[in-house]
Amino acid sequence: MMITAVIAAIAGLAGVAIGRFWDTRAESGRWRRDQRVRGYEDLAKEFYRYRASIRKCEVPGSDNAVRDAEVAALYEHHAIWNERLTSVWVHGSERVAAAAYALDHELSVLVDLILQPTADSDRPARREAVHQRFDDYVDAVRADLSLPHLLVLRTNSTDRTVPAAGRG
């Protein structure tokens, strides 16, 4: 009877130890996933803020004081963008980090073009390239999070298809 009690006590302690180890591993995995998801979402949100700031700098006819304020705001958004981008690089998967890097590159090219006081004939193509890289970023995030691929992200995009009504 004494042996049965000892075995039961050892089994109970082993069960608690194994359960605690399992919980710690599972919680660590959830924390890492939460960090990835938060970083992915924050970068997407900042993309839209940054894009709005870029668009304000594109408005023709602004006086120098207004333009200077818009450019200053653009640089503030750029700094926040870089913080969000770094978070994705630290916590994200290789595929998402690469897509974020490509998006960052296209945004930089567009900003450089906008800040030049020359003709803006390349702007529509540069804006489309930025939107394509953002779509690629969303595709990479969805794949990383094991979510199904979206057939439509932007209906006017050159490389996306729109499913027929009532399907998809």
Side-chain angles (χ1 to χ4, degrees), residues 30-40 87 91-92:
R30 282 190 296 270
W31 181 85
R32 283 191 305 273
R33 181 180 168 91
D34 289 348
Q35 293 301 308
R36 278 194 344 253
V37 169
R38 186 176 317 128
Y40 296 167
S87 177
H91 299 290

Side-chain angles (χ1 to χ4, degrees), residues 8 26 39 63 74-75 81 89 104 108 128 134-135 137 154 164:
D63 65 23
L74 180 66
Y75 283 124
W81 169 260
W89 288 342
D104 179 58
S108 295
E128 180 60 23
F134 184 72
D135 288 352
Y137 171 76
R154 293 183 307 108

Side-chain angles (χ1 to χ4, degrees), residues 1-16:
M1 194 142 166
M2 181 67 148
I3 293 178
T4 304
V6 170
I7 291 173
I10 290 172
L13 290 174
V16 168

Side-chain angles (χ1 to χ4, degrees), residues 4 13 16 22 28 47 59 62 70 75 83 95 98 103 107-109 114 119 121 125 148 156:
T4 304
L13 290 174
V16 168
W22 186 261
S28 176
F47 169 76
V59 175
S62 297
E70 290 165 348
Y75 283 124
E83 290 174 10
R95 181 176 175 192
L103 174 59
L107 278 169
S108 295
V109 171
I114 287 167
S121 62
N156 65 342

Side-chain angles (χ1 to χ4, degrees), residues 76-128:
E76 285 180 31
H77 282 288
H78 182 74
I80 296 167
W81 169 260
N82 283 336
E83 290 174 10
R84 303 300 187 260
L85 188 62
T86 301
S87 177
V88 168
W89 288 342
V90 168
H91 299 290
S93 70
E94 180 69 28
R95 181 176 175 192
V96 175
Y101 180 81
L103 174 59
D104 179 58
H105 172 74
E106 290 298 337
L107 278 169
S108 295
V109 171
L110 179 60
V111 167
D112 288 346
L113 182 64
I114 287 167
L115 295 178
Q116 294 174 3
T118 60
D120 60 357
S121 62
D122 289 341
R123 287 184 189 175
R126 297 291 3 139
R127 279 193 295 273
E128 180 60 23

